[in-house]
Amino acid sequence: MVHEQIHTALDFLCFRISLYQPEQAMIQTEFLHILDRKLPSSDIPPTVFDSEEKCTYSRVIATGKPIALSASNLKDHRMLEEIAENEAPVFQQYFPEEDLPSIASALIVPMKIGNVSIGIMQICSETVNAFNDSDIEFISALAGMTAISIQNSKLLLRTQQQAQQMQQIIRSVPEGVVLLSADLEIMM
């Protein structure tokens, strides 16, 4: 898994993969790992995509550029608070109040295919200034590979569904059927 590869290189509090669903203007978490727990993504409500880019996740998806935040930078406090607010209900659900982790740094990178962002990969840390330029490059590369894997998985699923539909159509036709390619070669 990607989070295990990242965990060997970086110490992190939480790791999230969220996919952008443009037709619904939503950002849906598909994978969330906090400390040593993988949490059910069904427990996490989607985030509304903000076309004005006020939301940090929306800004990363819209611009296609990563954002590294640290509590040591006063300008980053509002965005870190936004991330903490997003994570708080999940943290509270799974951790006793005295053990609630606090986010001191966050790295949010786009998951892109070409120039199109299909989602985000987010890593949070309890350490101030946890992420440097090489971390951003490393996570961005993993995010790109993950985006391609997700796209390939979706293409495979769609191809399997189309093949299944084709088989159902062929089975339902009482007469013989010959399928021709665009070059008029017999396919089936």
Side-chain angles (χ1 to χ4, degrees):
M1 293 290 290
V2 174
H3 81 279
E4 291 167 349
Q5 292 175 345
I6 293 171
H7 212 328
T8 60
L10 300 170
D11 183 34
F12 64 81
L13 167 66
C14 67
F15 173 79
R16 173 190 299 249
I17 292 177
S18 299
L19 297 179
Y20 173 48
Q21 301 166 345
E23 58 282 349
Q24 289 123 4
M26 300 299 263
I27 304 166
Q28 178 64 55
T29 297
E30 299 295 332
F31 182 87
L32 179 61
H33 196 274
I34 299 176
L35 294 174
D36 293 327
R37 295 182 185 178
K38 180 186 182 302
L39 305 181
S41 58
S42 58
D43 289 355
I44 302 138
T47 303
V48 175
F49 179 77
D50 173 21
S51 59
E52 295 179 14
E53 301 176 22
K54 292 178 184 171
C55 165
T56 306
Y57 301 152
S58 297
R59 185 176 309 119
V60 170
I61 289 170
T63 64
K65 295 179 182 170
I67 294 177
L69 306 168
S70 179
S72 67
N73 185 340
L74 290 176
K75 291 188 279 183
D76 291 350
H77 276 282
R78 187 192 62 74
M79 288 185 276
L80 281 171
E81 286 173 2
E82 173 191 324
I83 291 169
E85 285 174 21
N86 285 341
E87 306 295 357
V90 178
F91 284 5
Q92 292 166 353
Q93 186 174 354
Y94 291 96
F95 298 97
E97 192 164 331
E98 63 275 3
D99 294 337
L100 282 178
S102 63
I103 298 171
S105 295
L107 176 59
I108 305 103
V109 298
M111 294 178 13
K112 298 191 312 188
I113 297 180
N115 291 327
V116 178
S117 296
I118 66 161
I120 59 158
M121 188 176 284
Q122 171 187 317
I123 301 167
C124 297
S125 174
E126 292 180 287
T127 306
V128 175
N129 296 321
F131 308 109
N132 59 37
D133 289 343
S134 64
D135 296 331
I136 295 169
E137 286 180 37
F138 172 64
I139 301 304
S140 294
L142 284 175
M145 289 185 266
T146 302
I148 291 168
S149 295
I150 290 169
Q151 181 187 40
N152 288 344
S153 167
K154 287 180 178 181
L155 289 172
L156 177 62
L157 181 62
R158 188 169 46 223
T159 302
Q160 289 171 335
Q161 289 170 339
Q162 289 171 342
Q164 191 176 34
Q165 287 173 341
M166 186 68 73
Q167 289 297 327
Q168 288 173 345
I169 290 169
I170 291 170
R171 278 191 224 113
S172 69
V173 176
E175 307 280 328
V177 175
V178 176
L179 293 176
L180 300 176
S181 70
D183 299 332
L184 300 178
E185 294 179 15
I186 296 175
M187 294 174 53
M188 277 180 47

